């Protein structure tokens, strides 16, 4: 009996976890390391370049572009929560992650995902005001922009904290996480105690994370569509052109969320390792890498400023 109690005590004192999905990279570690390094450097370069262009060009100090900068900052935040940790694991022979680091990664990844969706919802509101109320657009947005930006960051941080507090109180009996990073629901599955309350709170929190943003997006685009249907073809085309980058960003993010839900809720063991890894990482990598490209290629003023910035840099290098 004493030995059983001692065994149970040791199980409940788990302080690190094993990220088992790294074993699929064993035979091609250098290739995966180079691939993730290139991806991370690309994300940093794209998003920093976008922020610099908006910051330096006074004509871009508009609500839409300032919200776009927040989207870029969030892209840097989310990719930094994941990719440096992946790179460090690929350089080491241990696939362990400590409990504090796992919890930190969980908080960063989940708040990144919620913030991304919240910023996209705020950007839909910006497009709604710009198209439906073009004349008082600047007056309306100048009064609400700061509040909107503060909300897009504070709301996700506080909303996820409600669930995360429950997770912080758990004790764990198992150590294997079948991913290359930590997620809240995977950590909860390893708990020794009954997690039914946390599961209910987690389910309710998903509603809290998604429904307000979905209402804002659908409300905004319902009114935009109504205005487009009542407008002349030239005005309709212009309105749709201004919304295209934002719609592409929403679709890209939605695809990532669908992949994450599909591979986490359904049995995908029959899929090749590379496919499962792609599904697992899409929502953390591709929004951050594609959003700057989508806006940079779609919006002429950003495209021109980026070209001027890099051509100036290349001339300076040649002179040196």
């Amino acid at each position: 009996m004493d030995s059983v109690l001692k065994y149970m005590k040791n199980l409940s004192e788990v302080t690190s976890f094993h990220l088992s999905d790294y074993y699929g990279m064993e035979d091609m570690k250098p290739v995966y390391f180079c691939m993730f390094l290139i991806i991370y450097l690309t994300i940093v370069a794209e998003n920093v370049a976008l922020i610099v262009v908006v910051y330096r060009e006074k004509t871009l100090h508009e609500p839409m572009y300032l919200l776009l900068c927040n989207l870029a900052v969030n892209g840097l935040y989310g990719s930094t929560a994941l990719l440096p940790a992946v790179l460090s694991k690929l350089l080491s022979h241990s696939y362990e992650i400590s409990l504090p680091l796992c919890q930190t990664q969980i908080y960063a990844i989940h708040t990144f995902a919620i913030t991304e969706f919240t910023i996209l919802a705020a950007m839909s509101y910006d497009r709604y005001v710009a198209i439906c109320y073009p004349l008082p657009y600047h007056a309306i947005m100048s009064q609400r922009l700061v509040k909107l930006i503060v909300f897009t960051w504070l709301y996700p941080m506080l909303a996820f904290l409600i669930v995360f507090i429950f997770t912080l109180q758990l004790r764990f009996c198992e150590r294997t996480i079948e991913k290359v990073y930590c997620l809240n629901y995977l950590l909860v599955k390893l708990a020794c105690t009954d997690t039914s309350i946390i599961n209910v709170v987690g389910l309710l929190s998903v509603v809290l994370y998604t429904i307000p943003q979905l209402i804002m997006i659908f409300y905004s685009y319902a009114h935009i569509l109504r205005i487009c249907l009542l407008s002349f073809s030239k005005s309709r085309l212009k309105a749709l052109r201004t919304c295209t980058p934002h719609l592409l960003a929403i679709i890209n993010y939605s695809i990532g969320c669908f992949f994450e839900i599909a591979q986490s809720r359904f049995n995908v063991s029959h899929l090749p390792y590379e496919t499962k890894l792609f599904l697992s990482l899409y929502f953390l990598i591709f929004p951050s890498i594609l959003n700057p490209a989508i806006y940079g290629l779609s919006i002429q003023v950003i495209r021109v400023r980026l070209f001027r910035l890099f051509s100036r840099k290349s001339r300076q290098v040649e002179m040196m």
Side-chain angles (χ1 to χ4, degrees):
M1 187 65 180
D2 291 340
S3 62
V4 173
L5 290 173
K6 184 177 180 181
Y7 175 70
M8 292 301 294
K9 183 176 184 297
N10 289 336
L11 280 178
S12 65
E13 292 178 353
V14 169
T15 57
S16 65
F17 301 93
H18 194 68
L19 301 171
S20 63
D21 269 15
Y22 280 101
Y23 283 111
M25 304 182 194
E26 281 279 308
D27 297 334
M28 299 179 65
K29 267 189 174 183
V31 175
Y32 278 106
F33 179 85
C34 292
M35 180 182 72
F36 284 120
L37 180 61
I38 291 170
I39 288 172
Y40 184 54
L41 293 177
T42 302
I43 289 173
V44 172
E46 283 184 343
N47 286 280
V48 169
L50 187 62
I51 293 168
V52 169
V53 165
V54 174
Y55 173 77
R56 294 181 63 175
E57 184 59 48
K58 293 187 187 296
T59 59
L60 296 178
H61 292 182
E62 299 282 337
M64 180 178 74
Y65 302 118
L66 296 177
L67 287 170
L68 180 57
C69 280
N70 281 267
L71 199 66
V73 171
N74 192 54
L76 293 171
Y77 169 59
S79 58
T80 302
L82 170 72
L83 292 172
V86 172
L87 292 171
S88 67
K89 289 288 182 291
L90 290 173
L91 287 175
S92 70
H93 298 288
S94 172
Y95 304 138
E96 300 283 320
I97 184 169
S98 67
L99 177 58
L101 282 178
C102 186
Q103 291 168 335
T104 302
Q105 191 175 60
I106 285 171
Y107 187 78
I109 287 174
H110 284 76
T111 52
F112 155 77
I114 304 167
T115 302
E116 187 86 356
F117 196 34
T118 308
I119 294 173
L120 288 172
M123 293 175 79
S124 72
Y125 174 75
D126 171 76
R127 292 299 81 206
Y128 155 69
V129 177
I131 294 170
C132 298
Y133 302 98
L135 294 178
Y137 166 71
H138 285 93
I140 294 172
M141 290 305 297
S142 63
Q143 293 175 358
R144 300 177 183 178
L145 182 62
V146 174
K147 294 177 182 177
L148 207 57
I149 290 173
V150 171
F151 176 79
T152 58
W153 288 98
L154 280 184
Y155 174 77
M157 302 295 174
L158 296 176
F160 181 68
L161 194 60
I162 297 170
V163 179
F164 194 56
I165 287 172
F166 285 96
T167 305
L168 292 174
Q169 298 173 6
L170 293 175
R171 305 182 81 181
F172 304 96
C173 293
E174 296 181 50
R175 301 182 62 245
T176 302
I177 295 176
E178 296 180 354
K179 267 191 186 293
V180 295
Y181 56 89
C182 293
L183 276 181
N184 195 63
Y185 80 93
L186 291 176
L187 194 63
V188 170
K189 284 170 63 176
L190 304 181
C192 304
T193 54
D194 178 34
T195 59
S196 55
I197 295 177
I198 299 177
N199 292 333
V200 172
V201 172
L203 187 61
L204 293 173
S205 67
V206 171
V207 176
L208 186 67
Y209 305 153
T210 57
I211 296 302
Q213 293 91 325
L214 283 172
I215 290 172
M216 177 61 72
I217 291 170
F218 283 122
Y219 176 85
S220 298
Y221 276 99
H223 282 275
I224 289 170
L225 183 60
R226 180 178 62 84
I227 291 296
C228 288
L229 293 175
L230 296 174
S231 302
F232 296 108
S233 58
K234 188 174 181 180
S235 301
R236 187 184 308 144
L237 185 63
K238 183 180 179 181
L240 291 174
R241 192 183 298 121
T242 64
C243 293
T244 298
H246 180 252
L247 286 171
L248 290 174
I250 290 176
I251 291 169
N252 182 38
Y253 178 79
S254 300
I255 290 171
C257 291
F258 172 77
F259 284 163
E260 172 58 27
I261 292 169
Q263 63 89 33
S264 61
R265 304 302 180 192
F266 301 102
N267 183 15
V268 293
S269 57
H270 60 284
L271 295 176
Y273 171 79
E274 292 78 11
T275 303
K276 290 189 290 184
L277 186 67
F278 174 80
L279 295 177
S280 175
L281 294 176
Y282 189 102
F283 88 102
L284 287 167
I285 290 177
F286 283 88
S288 302
I289 203 170
L290 291 180
N291 285 343
I294 289 170
Y295 277 92
L297 293 173
S298 301
I299 301 177
Q300 183 179 6
V301 65
I302 293 180
R303 188 167 65 248
V304 169
R305 302 307 177 196
L306 281 170
F307 177 76
R308 287 181 181 175
L309 176 67
F310 286 109
S311 63
R312 191 182 303 126
K313 293 287 184 184
S314 62
R315 286 198 299 270
Q316 290 175 353
V317 170
E318 289 174 1
M319 291 176 64
M320 292 175 63

